[in-house]
Amino acid sequence: MTDTITEFENSGYIVRSFIPDEVADIVIVSFTGVGAPERQNGSFFGEPLAKALNMPFIGLIAKSDSWYLEDGIDDAIGAIKVILDRIRRNAASFIQVIGYGISMGGFGVIKHSKALGLDALLSLAPQWSIDSSETGRKSSFSGYYQHYMQHMGPRASDVAIPSYIFYDPRLDEERAEAESFSQIPTVVLVPVAHAGHMVTNSLKGSKNFQELLNAVLRGEDILSTTKIIRNKSKENVYNIILKCLEKKIDFFPLALSSKRSESTGAKEFIVANHKEAWRAIATLFERGQKSSAFKLAHILAPRDLLFPSFTKILAWTGEFIVYNPLEKTFSQTEHHHITQGELVVVINGSIYSLSATGLMKLPYSTEFSEDSFVIRAADGKALSARENGKIGFTEWVARWEKFTTFD
């Protein structure tokens, strides 16, 4: 069984390798990002890919957040070249060396591409420079700036190979950094909208990496390849739907119920693991978007749950109303499941609890107005649901807090 081994180490860098078969035609050289866990855990950026694809990888790990510019980098690159020469001696044919890095590592793989003799590279969300005097803007990474990083931005003379830079164009800083690389003729910008800084979350997986790699090696249109990957990627669809939940909640029910959400498994995962999806029902009710709230409630309800034919009561929180006849108290369901008491229903303007022996009329009055209503006790106080799952009587309720019938 092939192991990851440490091939070189100095005060600033570590070089590790995973070489299952030195008779190879492709070798990946990877660079870690900021605060890399690989410094302590004995691995390198891309190790899961290396093992899943049984592909030779050489990983360069910076011991500090130096953007691969600190003393000792030349010796580390020299050690990588020794390993590559060893692989070439055993290769049956010409090998291609592909660079791969993220963030700080995305910068490093570009900056040192010529020294390494790379044939092409994949750079994920790199910074062109964190020297504000060079860029004219302040970077989120400015706190890492050191004197040796002055005028660090790669130039055309540094990079003579196809360099594919993946970035999120919806983030101003990411877009500005990526566009700074456009001065280099061999750079191809690959926008990955909604991916955030950790672009790998939308493109991750050994199969996806292999498809990107194949596109690079064959000179195919990497933009089309990336689009195809994203269309079928669960992680990508999942991220886009969560962005709707965060930024465009009006579109959340539509995105969650889409064919792509269903086919990739993103919908199933979100429904099972994200309470925010249920809380979105409350937000939609609060905004007066009842049709969207109803749609979302139907989507989130368990598929095998068959509702009885009478009318139920839905709170603005997106939960149904429950009554405990022993304690004479109301509560709410949890994700549409009854954890205590009996479901409350509306029949001819009166409310009942659905007991094991039949419907029991409850001693509370109802006041209907269009498609919403208030439940009042004898003292005039109104029943009000709370987002934390509690429910009780209060002096008054806001318009959006009123209950809605749900058939």
Side-chain angles (χ1 to χ4, degrees), residues 10-13 64 66 68-76 147-148:
N10 63 13
S11 61
Y13 303 93
S64 65
S66 63
Y68 297 91
L69 297 171
E70 197 174 21
D71 288 347
I73 185 62
D74 292 339
D75 291 335
H147 66 89
Y148 54 77

Side-chain angles (χ1 to χ4, degrees), residues 68-365:
Y68 297 91
L69 297 171
E70 197 174 21
D71 288 347
I73 185 62
D74 292 339
D75 291 335
I77 289 175
I80 294 173
K81 294 172 76 171
V82 168
I83 301 169
L84 289 171
D85 286 342
R86 188 179 77 213
I87 296 173
R88 287 189 180 100
R89 286 195 299 270
N90 294 305
S93 60
F94 175 76
I95 69 166
Q96 290 185 284
V97 184
I98 309 298
Y100 182 51
I102 185 167
S103 189
M104 179 183 82
F107 166 87
V109 75
I110 295 172
K111 186 72 172 180
H112 301 294
S113 59
K114 181 179 286 187
L116 286 166
L118 301 180
D119 295 293
L121 64 85
L122 304 173
S123 178
L124 310 175
Q127 297 77 47
W128 179 70
S129 174
I130 62 171
D131 177 4
S132 59
S133 68
E134 183 177 28
T135 64
R137 60 180 181 270
K138 186 172 182 179
S139 166
S140 297
F141 299 96
S142 294
Y144 296 99
Y145 178 78
Q146 300 292 328
H147 66 89
Y148 54 77
M149 298 178 183
Q150 189 175 19
H151 302 303
M152 62 188 282
R155 302 303 195 269
S157 58
D158 297 324
V159 190
I161 59 169
S163 304
Y164 301 94
I165 294 178
F166 298 79
Y167 71 103
D168 188 339
R170 291 176 174 264
L171 300 178
D172 292 341
E173 183 175 340
E174 301 287 320
R175 184 176 63 254
E177 294 289 356
E179 289 175 349
S180 293
F181 283 100
S182 61
Q183 63 182 284
I184 302 173
T186 57
V187 161
V188 177
L189 299 184
V190 185
V192 189
H194 303 291
H197 182 62
M198 300 304 291
V199 184
T200 48
N201 289 337
S202 289
L203 301 172
K204 68 181 180 181
S206 57
K207 184 178 179 181
N208 292 340
F209 182 79
Q210 184 69 71
E211 289 184 16
L212 289 173
L213 201 56
N214 289 342
V216 169
L217 296 173
R218 297 168 184 166
E220 297 173 355
D221 181 1
I222 200 145
L223 295 174
S224 297
T225 302
T226 302
K227 183 177 180 180
I228 292 170
I229 288 173
R230 298 198 79 203
N231 283 344
K232 63 186 180 183
S233 167
K234 172 184 174 181
E235 289 80 8
N236 176 61
V237 175
Y238 165 79
N239 285 335
I240 291 177
I241 294 173
L242 288 190
K243 285 290 183 183
C244 288
L245 180 58
E246 178 186 351
K247 302 289 186 180
K248 294 280 187 181
I249 197 169
D250 302 5
F251 297 109
F252 178 64
L254 184 63
L256 190 61
S257 61
S258 67
K259 290 183 179 178
R260 193 170 298 167
S261 174
E262 186 84 42
S263 63
T264 60
K267 171 184 173 183
E268 183 179 0
F269 185 82
I270 289 173
V271 170
N273 294 281
H274 283 272
K275 292 182 179 179
E276 293 86 352
W278 294 84
R279 286 199 287 268
I281 298 176
T283 303
L284 290 167
F285 266 113
E286 184 176 348
R287 295 181 180 182
Q289 296 170 277
K290 292 184 178 179
S291 60
S292 293
F294 283 148
K295 181 174 183 177
L296 185 54
H298 277 297
I299 293 169
L300 296 177
R303 296 181 185 180
D304 58 352
L305 182 60
L306 297 175
F307 290 116
S309 59
F310 34 70
T311 301
K312 295 166 291 301
I313 299 174
L314 191 67
W316 71 277
T317 58
E319 298 292 345
F320 295 108
I321 306 306
V322 177
Y323 183 74
N324 187 325
L326 299 177
E327 299 180 4
K328 294 182 172 52
T329 56
F330 288 92
S331 63
Q332 299 181 58
T333 57
E334 293 184 14
H335 292 188
H336 296 181
H337 290 282
I338 299 173
T339 59
Q340 59 177 328
E342 302 164 350
L343 186 67
V344 176
V345 299
V346 179
I347 300 176
N348 297 327
S350 297
I351 60 172
Y352 298 77
S353 66
L354 182 58
S355 70
T357 56
L359 294 170
M360 181 178 71
K361 189 172 183 179
L362 303 181
Y364 301 95
S365 63

